[in-house]
Amino acid sequence: MKKAISILVLIITITSCNSEKKEIPLAGTWRLISAETTEKDSTFSTFNPKTKMIKIINDTHFAFFNHDLNNGKDSTNAVFFGGGGKYTLKDSTYTENLEFFNNRQWENNKFEFTVKIKNDTLIQKGIEKIEKLGVDRVIVEKYVREK
């Protein structure tokens, strides 16, 4: 009987060790390194090297912040925006529920993306669509993990 229990414990241990989780490790701080948008038949870069954008993701929420690198000293080029909310992740489908944003017309919208991580790079691709604002575009953003 002891031998049977030992074998059962061994089987359970091996099985639990070999079960792979298919979670994508999104938690962390990410810095935007490239961004492009496709609207109708045109694709163009929306990455601005004069700003820095980070995205912070924890177990339940995301937040993003973007600001100019001149510390806002030139008021004609001073930039700051930020937003965040809850998100869901199922396999590689990442859905942001934008609850907070300085452009209030974007709030309370959902944006669904496909995400993948390769080494320290997060690639996020999806559709931003807000009918009341006439927004309908595909975006692809690449982030590198901040250390």
Side-chain angles (χ1 to χ4, degrees):
M1 184 66 167
K2 284 185 180 181
K3 188 174 183 180
I5 292 173
S6 296
I7 291 172
L8 182 59
V9 169
L10 181 63
I11 290 171
I12 291 171
T13 302
I14 290 171
T15 304
S16 66
C17 290
N18 287 337
S19 65
E20 291 183 29
K21 290 184 179 179
K22 299 204 178 207
E23 292 180 38
I24 296 176
L26 290 178
T29 301
W30 303 87
R31 179 176 40 89
L32 185 69
I33 57 171
S34 75
E36 69 178 28
T37 297
T38 302
E39 288 185 274
K40 298 179 182 163
D41 294 331
S42 299
T43 299
F44 49 93
S45 174
T46 53
F47 179 75
N48 183 350
K50 295 179 181 179
T51 66
K52 180 178 181 181
M53 179 172 165
I54 62 168
K55 180 176 277 196
I56 301 168
I57 302 172
N58 67 21
D59 292 340
T60 59
H61 289 77
F62 73 96
F64 57 89
F65 306 97
N66 191 339
H67 72 119
D68 63 275
L69 297 174
N70 292 324
N71 297 318
K73 293 176 183 162
D74 178 358
S75 63
T76 60
N77 292 318
V79 172
F80 178 82
F81 64 85
K86 293 181 180 179
Y87 75 91
T88 59
L89 178 65
K90 184 170 186 209
D91 299 319
S92 63
T93 302
Y94 168 71
T95 304
E96 293 181 343
N97 300 292
L98 190 59
E99 298 172 59
F100 309 97
F101 191 50
N102 58 294
N103 184 339
R104 305 299 290 268
Q105 294 178 311
W106 283 68
E107 290 182 345
N108 301 311
N109 284 288
K110 289 184 180 185
F111 303 97
E112 187 174 288
F113 302 97
T114 300
V115 291
K116 65 180 175 180
I117 295 177
K118 186 173 181 181
N119 299 322
D120 64 347
T121 303
L122 167 64
I123 301 167
Q124 174 178 316
K125 180 180 181 177
I127 297 173
E128 288 183 332
K129 186 171 186 171
I130 304 175
E131 287 185 33
K132 67 183 177 186
L133 297 177
V135 174
D136 187 3
R137 58 190 174 210
V138 175
I139 65 168
V140 178
E141 296 175 332
K142 291 184 183 177
Y143 296 85
V144 66
R145 188 181 294 276
E146 291 281 280
K147 299 184 189 236

